[in-house]
Amino acid sequence: MTQDELKALVGQAALKYVVAGEIVGVGTGSTVNKFIDALAAMKDRIPGAVSSSNASTERLEALGIRVFDANEVGEIAVYIDGADEIDGGGCMIKGGGAALTREKIVAAQSRRFVCIADESKQVQVLGKFPVPVEVIPMATQRVIRQFAAMGGSARVRLKEGRPLVTDNGQHILDVTGLKIADPLVFESEVSQWPGVVTVGVFAFQKAHVCLLGTDAGVETLVF
Ligand code: 5RP
């Protein structure tokens, strides 16, 4: 199967985790796009969704799925999102699509995080994929130096030759050269650096379940 077919497979499989009558939390990315397309088939059985990005909001609304502001709703039953890497404990690197801040917010508001990913995303130790970090632009150079001091190399993510601007009006650093042996410690430390909005390591908001697309079908990992 192609990677695209594996993404479609897990996008479809995630439907069974959506609770009828309840708002669903929706992530961002190409795998989530498959989920959103599949969700259209059950749109009459849910009040709507809380979205983690402008891109997902547009796609949901185009399919006739109502999007609620996170502040309008209480606890969300389930959050469905992809990942750039997921380790054996359900900790993830996220933010390849620059939506990490809102993804972490919706994940934190949800009882259960169901990660959907193709098997290329499974790793022993997080850190091969560059870690996305959303930063306030005036702190960029200092945060780059803080990563250098811990052995990482951080670069500003560009779009059409200029710093990419997130849905929150901030910039993204992509950090290479890190091996994140203890995701909880890493996330707590970097989150405290002044100017860091969100670090794309999801250890506090880790996945409870991962639906992994493999050539043999969907493997369900429970953490
Ligand atoms: C967006 C994300 C995505 O979930 C992650 O980048 C995976 O994307 P894809 O499903 O396109 O591989 O964190 O910010």
Side-chain angles (χ1 to χ4, degrees):
M1 266 189 270
T2 64
Q3 195 181 28
D4 200 57
E5 287 166 338
L6 294 175
K7 289 179 180 188
L9 195 69
V10 292
Q12 183 70 37
L15 284 187
K16 79 166 191 231
Y17 290 85
V18 177
V19 182
E22 297 241 17
I23 288 169
V24 59
V26 175
T28 298
S30 55
T31 315
V32 165
N33 283 345
K34 305 286 189 193
F35 166 67
I36 294 174
D37 295 348
L39 187 64
M42 64 176 291
K43 68 179 177 194
D44 297 332
R45 281 182 277 153
I46 55 166
V50 170
S51 166
S52 62
S53 64
N54 295 340
S56 289
T57 297
E58 272 174 33
R59 197 174 187 99
L60 287 158
E61 289 181 339
L63 289 166
I65 299 167
R66 181 171 170 194
V67 176
F68 291 85
D69 186 283
N71 291 304
E72 288 180 271
V73 307
E75 193 179 54
I76 299 165
V78 65
Y79 177 62
I80 314 278
D81 199 358
D84 299 302
E85 282 186 352
I86 181 159
D87 72 12
C91 296
M92 296 165 285
I93 289 181
K94 292 186 44 54
L100 62 163
T101 295
R102 296 188 189 188
E103 290 173 341
K104 210 173 257 192
I105 292 168
V106 187
Q109 198 169 331
S110 303
R111 265 200 302 283
R112 203 170 190 206
F113 189 140
V114 176
C115 174
I116 49 176
D118 65 84
E119 60 188 340
S120 70
K121 308 292 183 67
Q122 203 177 27
V123 297
Q124 298 277 328
V125 181
L126 299 177
K128 203 162 122 206
F129 189 91
V131 179
V133 182
E134 185 162 355
V135 291
I136 305 270
M138 76 172 283
T140 298
Q141 292 305 321
R142 196 179 40 72
V143 173
I144 287 175
R145 290 193 291 275
Q146 284 193 267
F147 276 117
M150 63 158 57
S153 171
R155 291 180 149 205
V156 177
R157 191 181 299 181
L158 301 179
K159 187 179 178 189
E160 291 157 9
R162 303 181 63 81
L164 176 146
V165 178
T166 67
D167 287 353
N168 312 306
Q170 312 304 336
H171 291 173
I172 297 281
L173 294 177
D174 290 305
V175 191
T176 53
L178 301 170
K179 279 275 161 266
I180 303 165
D182 192 334
L184 270 175
V185 168
F186 181 85
E187 184 180 1
S188 357
E189 182 182 342
V190 176
S191 298
Q192 291 178 51
W193 295 354
V196 167
V197 178
T198 302
V199 56
V201 167
F202 283 50
F204 289 95
Q205 271 75 45
K206 70 175 196 162
H208 298 101
V209 174
C210 178
L211 303 178
L212 202 65
T214 75
D215 278 332
V218 178
E219 200 180 318
T220 304
L221 312 173
V222 181
F223 304 106

